[in-house]
Every structure is written in structure tokens, then in C-alpha cells.
């Protein structure tokens, strides 16, 4: 396709027209087989024999699915979907009584979101495999996933924000994860005219404590000018203690942003000294702002979700905390901001720029000391571009977005418009290689490529459009990733594989850091769910007014109890089912006819509860949904539902011990 490298052309045409035309050119042609395809050994390079393990876990954001998908590399096999921000009927997440509180917000229960950026926890700047964090963009939230169980344990709503796009990037020891406003709004939110944007709208940068499970909270927020804040990364090495955010729409436009927010030749990278922020908070320079947000977490003892409401947050104004924050001018409409493994270079991706600007942390420090400021915006000094720029990568391609690093002195940048990955050398800024991708790449990912210690063997290109790559599936085609070998001087395409949702970003880590730490089952003796049963003899049924609670055991290949009578129309029934197996990967399921929410999947040693409201008299079967044994089909039971006010006694076929216990719990009725 034609290359367009002219700054005049980019600024003279409407941004939307340029992108549309070039995108059409990139996606409407049928590609020739790339000369970079390793035709001789590509299959063997990605083939993982039966019974063998892949080298890497790769965690992909599910985009508009609201979930995380887990792929194995180099095979590209999908091995897990982790429910996070959306209800998930495959295992009952968000439907069952133990997890539905995880989706609570100040707006009520929000059963969906748009998940963009997974981020692995780090120790000393290196991914450590303890946790995975991910953001919700629509209703601003961050989540923690425990990687010993691949389950979401914690979700925190972010106050004073709208659109949590630059989220949830971590500091080198996971003390904080950050979140930045994509859509500036009044803070606190208020009914104001939209055309008062420049006067009344603000952004916030949130620093969230992240190193203590069940205790995520907003440590402090920084009130910033009303721009759009896009992505972020922490400093490391010499720049440890700083965080860098891209921003665009310094024009503060509110309509037709594709044109009106692309006028300025330069926008900003915001450099935040968060250790200085901590000092200012400790000195009482932050104001306590009333607000409302929700913290949800899985209680580590009961494994039942709890939801708590927060009522205030500490907010810092940069004008009251000198040395807190600086703007680095950056061409043009920057998207990604990435810090190289040494911590010296800060690379921005100007979507409409013809160069890749690279800022120097050491030059930034000198410019601050010398007060080389072009201006001051809301108490934030704007540093001179020439004073802080280390260099520019010339003619890299069109539409630079994101950069990651191989740890060998090279950087790799995704080019959205020209659909390619470009490799360039740190320090000389020379382009040394490029490879086409299909098509319109957004993020790219190198395992550990945003950390102090990349595992620079593979690169994954996360492509937005897949015309002619896979069998067609109607108007909507599969999203796509491409695996590229970067171990040698030249990049080599190894594999295409389809992905779920719209995967914006991914993180990967050697499997050896995670696979041997997996929880294989929950100890039944440690199950503290208030409705747990530890043996079949513990099952039972009890009535409290119109509520009926059924405590049930599941084991190969039956439920106890499996026949229940005395339920009436108008009752609300809670089935509390415990899988009393103590063996790895022996799951059971539970579903009942007429249920209006979901089934349950029960991990070994786990209790899950589902709410059921029968609508009419009759016989209602229930059954195990997860094929568990040769007699799985026989794992079933019945509920008899009688008219309201019926004299049919409440009974279940359980042991005499359980029958006596449930009789007592029902007050002798």
C-alpha cells in the first residue's frame, strides 16, 4: 500500500478521511503470502505435542465481553475464560449468591463492561505471576484476579471518573495500580452546560493501593486539566517513582473530536512524581472530597462476595504540591506511552504523527532543574520539547500506537494505519526491520515487554480487522492475533489465531512461574460458607416464611437430597450445593427447570448457591450440568411444587440426622 509520510498531508487532510482511506486500502486487498512467513519450520515452532505444555500463559483482555481470556503460547490455544466484569452463565459468576455482589456499583448491579488492559503484578519491576489486574472502561473499575485459581477476587469502582482507559498499570512493586480519566467530566459531577467544558470539566489520575488482597482502595487522586487521558506506564530504574500518562484533546473540544481534537501540533505526556504526591498527602495538602464508590471482594474465609460503600477520597491539586507533575509536549494525539527496560527512555505513540518521539528521563530532570518551561497549565509546568526529547524515529510508518521492548536494545512499535510492526534501535532511533500484519494492529505484546526484564522471544500483534484471514462468519468476523518470532535479527511470522471479544492488550509470562502454584481443590474441612455441607448426612431443607433453603451435597454420581416436596408457589428457594469431592478437576454442575438466572459450576470442595422462584405447581427436575462420571446422566432429582397454602409437608430424602436438624431449623413445623 502507498506510504504517506508527509506532515503537511497529515495536517492538511481531516484525520478521519486519512484514516478511513488508508484503512480501506489496508483491508480491502487480498494479501500475498508474506515472505516473512517461516514456511519451513513455522508449524514445528508453534506445535505443542499432546501431553506437553506451552512456554507462556498469555492473558488477553476480552474487550466488550468484559472478561479475560487465557491463551497458551506458542500454540495460540484458548485454555480459559476468566469472568470479571460480566455475568458468565458458563459457571454462574454474577448469578449465584456467592458472586453477584462482585458486580455492584453506585449505579446498582452492572452486569457488563468493556475490559481493555490486563496488567500482571510485579516484584522489582518484573512480572511475578501472583495477580492479574484489568480495567473496566465504561463504569470505571479495576479488578484483581488471583493466578493460583484464575478467579476474580476483588473489584474497586473508581470515583470522579468517566472512562477508565489508562488503567490499571502498576508500579514496580505493585504498591499502586493507576487509573486515569478518559472522558473528563465535572468533579464532582454536576449539571452544567457542555459548552463550559474548558471551565468546568476536569480529569483525575487515581493511585490505587494494590499490594494487599481484599484492601484495594483509592490512596489519592490528582486533579488535572480536562483533557482525555489515554494510557500510562510506570518509570523504573532511574525513573522509579514516576508515572507517565498520555493525553490528547488539549484543544478541549466537545464535538467531532476526530477533527477538533487534532488541531494542536503537540499534546502532552503527563509525568507524575507519585512519591512527591505521597509527601503532599502526608503534609495535609490533599482535600477530602465527599463522593461515593463501591469496593467488592471475595471473603477469603467464607468465599462469599462482600460489597462495601466508600464515601470520600483524598484529592490533590498540582498547584498546591510543587514538583508533583510536568507536561512533556508530544506530537500528535498520542495514544501509548512506554518506558524502556532501563527506565531512561519514555516513548510516545502519536497517532497522527510522522515520527515516534522518545523522551529522556535524565534530560527531563535537567530541564526541571533549569526551569526550561514553555508555559504553566493549571499549576503544571510545560517543559520545552527540545529540552526533553532524546530523539525521534524518522519515517517509521503510519499511525504509531504502542511500543514494547525485547531487552536487547530494540523497540517494536505497532503501526495502525500502515498495518505493520516496526523494529528500531534505542539510542540511534534507526528503523532496522518491519513486518506486515493483517490488519490494523492496535496493541502489541512481548512477554514482559513493558517491564524491567522482557522475555524477548515472541511478539503478539493484536489486530483489529481480519478480512480474508479466517473462514467468514457473517457480518462480524473473528478478532485476530499473530505470533511473531523476534529472537533473531529479522522478525518472522509464525502463527495466526482468532481471539474472543476485542482484545485490546495482552500480557504474558513464562508458564513455569504459575503452573506449579495452582490450587487443585478447596479443602472441604476449610469451607466456611454458612450453607456448606461436609458430608451427605449434613444435607437438609428449612423454611423461614416464604424462603426455603436447601442444603445439598454433590458427589459422583448423585445429589443428596435428590427428592424435595412441600415447596409452594410464592416461595423463593435457595439451593446451596457443595461439591464434596476432594480431587483435582472433578467438577459438578446444578440446574433446575424454570430457573431465570443461570446454572452453577461447583469446584471441588466449593459451595455455590442459586435463587429459584417456581411459577406454577408441578414437578421440576434438576440435574448435574458438568459431565462428571460414567453415571453422569443419572445425577438428577425432582422438586415437587404445590399451590400456595398447600398442606404438603416440607420434606427431603436425607439422613435421619439431617431430617432432625432441618425440622428444628424450621421451628418444629
Amino acid at each position: 500500500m502507498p506510504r504517506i509520510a508527509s506532515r503537511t498531508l497529515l495536517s492538511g487532510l481531516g484525520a478521519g478521511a486519512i484514516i478511513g482511506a488508508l484503512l480501506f486500502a489496508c483491508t480491502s486487498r487480498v494479501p500475498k503470502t508474506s515472505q516473512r512467513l517461516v514456511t519451513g519450520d513455522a508449524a514445528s515452532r508453534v506445535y505443542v505435542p499432546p501431553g506437553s505444555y506451552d512456554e507462556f500463559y498469555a492473558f488477553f483482555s476480552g474487550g466488550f465481553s468484559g472478561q479475560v481470556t487465557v491463551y497458551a503460547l506458542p500454540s495460540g490455544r484458548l485454555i480459559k475464560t476468566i469472568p470479571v466484569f460480566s455475568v458468565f452463565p458458563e459457571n454462574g459468576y454474577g448469578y449465584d449468591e456467592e458472586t453477584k455482589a462482585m458486580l455492584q456499583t453506585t449505579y446498582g448491579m452492572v452486569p457488563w463492561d468493556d475490559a481493555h488492559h490486563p496488567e500482571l503484578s510485579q516484584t522489582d519491576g518484573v512480572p511475578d505471576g501472583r495477580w492479574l489486574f484489568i480495567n473496566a472502561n465504561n463504569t470505571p473499575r479495576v479488578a484483581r484476579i488471583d493466578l493460583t485459581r484464575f478467579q476474580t477476587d476483588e473489584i474497586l469502582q473508581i470515583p470522579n471518573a468517566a472512562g477508565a482507559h489508562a488503567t490499571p498499570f502498576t508500579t514496580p512493586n505493585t504498591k499502586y495500580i493507576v487509573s486515569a480519566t478518559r472522558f473528563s467530566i465535572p468533579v464532582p459531577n454536576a449539571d452544567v452546560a457542555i459548552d463550559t467544558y474548558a471551565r468546568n470539566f476536569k480529569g483525575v489520575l487515581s493511585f490505587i493501593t494494590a499490594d494487599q488482597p481484599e484492601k484495594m482502595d483509592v490512596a489519592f487522586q490528582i486533579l488535572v486539566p480536562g483533557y482525555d487521558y489515554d494510557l500510562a506506564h510506570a518509570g523504573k530504574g532511574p525513573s522509579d517513582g514516576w508515572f507517565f500518562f498520555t493525553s490528547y484533546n488539549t484543544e478541549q473540544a466537545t464535538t467531532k473530536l476526530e477533527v477538533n481534537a487534532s488541531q494542536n501540533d503537540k499534546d502532552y505526556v503527563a509525568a507524575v512524581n507519585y512519591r512527591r504526591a505521597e509527601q503532599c498527602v502526608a503534609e495535609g495538602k490533599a482535600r477530602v472530597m465527599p463522593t461515593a464508590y463501591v469496593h467488592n471482594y471475595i471473603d477469603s474465609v467464607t468465599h462469599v462476595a462482600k460489597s462495601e460503600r466508600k464515601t470520600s477520597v483524598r484529592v490533590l491539586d498540582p498547584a498546591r504540591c510543587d514538583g508533583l507533575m510536568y507536561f512533556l509536549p508530544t506530537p500528535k494525539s498520542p495514544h501509548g506511552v512506554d518506558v524502556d527496560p532501563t527506565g531512561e527512555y519514555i516513548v510516545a505513540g502519536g497517532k497522527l504523527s510522522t515520527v515516534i518521539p522518545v523522551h529522556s528521563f535524565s534530560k527531563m530532570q535537567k530541564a526541571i532543574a533549569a526551569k526550561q518551561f514553555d508555559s504553566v497549565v493549571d499549576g503544571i509546568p510545560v517543559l520545552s520539547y527540545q529540552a526533553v526529547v532524546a530523539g525521534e524515529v524518522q519515517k517509521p510508518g503510519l499511525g504509531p500506537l504502542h511500543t514494547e521492548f525485547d531487552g536487547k536494545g530494540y523497540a517494536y512499535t505497532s503501526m495502525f494505519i500502515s498495518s505493520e510492526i516496526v523494529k528500531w534501535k534505542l539510542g540511534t532511533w534507526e528503523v532496522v526491520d518491519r513486518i506486515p500484519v493483517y490488519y490494523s494492529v492496535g496493541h502489541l505484546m512481548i512477554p514482559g515487554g513493558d517491564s524491567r526484564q522482557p522475555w524477548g522471544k515472541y511478539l503478539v500483534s493484536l489486530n483489529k480487522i481480519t478480512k480474508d484471514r479466517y473462514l467468514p462468519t457473517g457480518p462480524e468476523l473473528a478478532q485476530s492475533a499473530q505470533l511473531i518470532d523476534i529472537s533473531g535479527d529479522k522478525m518472522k511470522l509464525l502463527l495466526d489465531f482468532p481471539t474472543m471479544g476485542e482484545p485490546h492488550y495482552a500480557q504474558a509470562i513464562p508458564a513455569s512461574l504459575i503452573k506449579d502454584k495452582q490450587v487443585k481443590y478447596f479443602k472441604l474441612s476449610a469451607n466456611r460458607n454458612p450453607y456448606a455441607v461436609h458430608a451427605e448426612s449434613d444435607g437438609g431443607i428449612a423454611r423461614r416464611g416464604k424462603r426455603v433453603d436447601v442444603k445439598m451435597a454433590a458427589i459422583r454420581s448423585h445429589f443428596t437430597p435428590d427428592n424435595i416436596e412441600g415447596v409452594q408457589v410464592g416461595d423463593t428457594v435457595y439451593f446451596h450445593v457443595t461439591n464434596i469431592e476432594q480431587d483435582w478437576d472433578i467438577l459438578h454442575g446444578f440446574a433446575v427447570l424454570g430457573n431465570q438466572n443461570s446454572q452453577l459450576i461447583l469446584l471441588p470442595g466449593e459451595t455455590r448457591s442459586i435463587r429459584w422462584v417456581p411459577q406454577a405447581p408441578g414437578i421440576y427436575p434438576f440435574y448435574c450440568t458438568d459431565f462428571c462420571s460414567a453415571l453422569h446422566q443419572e445425577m438428577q432429582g425432582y422438586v415437587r411444587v404445590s399451590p400456595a397454602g398447600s398442606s404438603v409437608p416440607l420434606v427431603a430424602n436425607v439422613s435421619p440426622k439431617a431430617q432432625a436438624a432441618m425440622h428444628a431449623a424450621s421451628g418444629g413445623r
Side-chain angles (χ1 to χ4, degrees), residues 266 268 326-330 359-360 363-364 367-368 371-375 381-390:
K266 289 183 174 64
Y268 298 130
Y326 300 88
F327 281 139
L328 313 181
T330 300
H359 299 294
S360 160
K363 292 184 72 172
M364 185 189 89
I368 291 170
K371 298 187 183 299
Q372 292 179 283
F373 305 151
D374 286 343
S375 60
V382 179
L383 296 169
S384 163
Y385 180 70
Q386 293 303 324
V388 299
V389 71

Side-chain angles (χ1 to χ4, degrees), residues 507-554:
Q507 292 253 282
I509 191 169
S512 59
L513 295 179
I514 295 179
K515 71 179 181 65
D516 295 331
K517 299 176 182 177
Q518 295 303 294
V519 172
K520 295 185 176 180
Y521 58 87
F522 296 104
K523 291 182 179 179
L524 193 59
S525 60
N527 187 331
R528 296 294 180 266
N529 186 297
Y531 293 98
V533 299
H534 296 86
E536 293 186 61
S537 59
D538 296 337
I541 189 168
R543 174 184 291 281
R544 295 173 183 84
K546 291 293 185 180
R547 173 177 173 139
V548 175
D549 289 280
V550 181
K551 293 170 63 176
M552 182 179 290

Side-chain angles (χ1 to χ4, degrees), residues 23-101:
L23 186 59
F24 176 81
C26 288
T27 60
S28 61
R29 58 188 172 86
V30 176
K32 296 179 180 179
T33 301
S34 170
Q35 294 179 353
R36 290 294 183 81
L37 181 64
V38 191
T39 55
D41 68 351
S44 63
R45 291 288 307 278
V46 302
Y47 177 67
V48 178
S52 298
Y53 293 126
D54 281 86
E55 296 175 67
F56 292 92
Y57 286 100
F59 301 94
F60 285 55
S61 68
F64 36 71
S65 79
Q67 320 293 32
V68 168
T69 49
V70 186
Y71 293 82
L73 299 179
S75 70
R77 295 181 294 201
L78 174 65
I79 56 176
K80 180 75 172 178
T81 297
I82 305 173
V84 187
F85 297 114
S86 299
V87 293
F88 193 59
E90 182 177 315
N91 69 359
Y93 177 85
Y95 293 103
D96 66 50
E97 298 302 301
E98 283 75 16
T99 62
K100 67 182 185 181

Side-chain angles (χ1 to χ4, degrees), residues 639-653:
V639 182
R640 175 186 175 187
V641 177
S642 301
S646 170
S647 60
V648 175
L650 188 69
V651 295
N653 58 328

Side-chain angles (χ1 to χ4, degrees), residues 275-286 316 320-322 324:
R275 295 212 172 102
R276 177 61 182 144
E278 292 173 327
Q279 292 173 351
C280 288
V281 170
E283 293 166 2
K285 294 182 178 179
L316 271 174
R320 298 191 63 221
C321 181
D322 62 290
L324 169 63

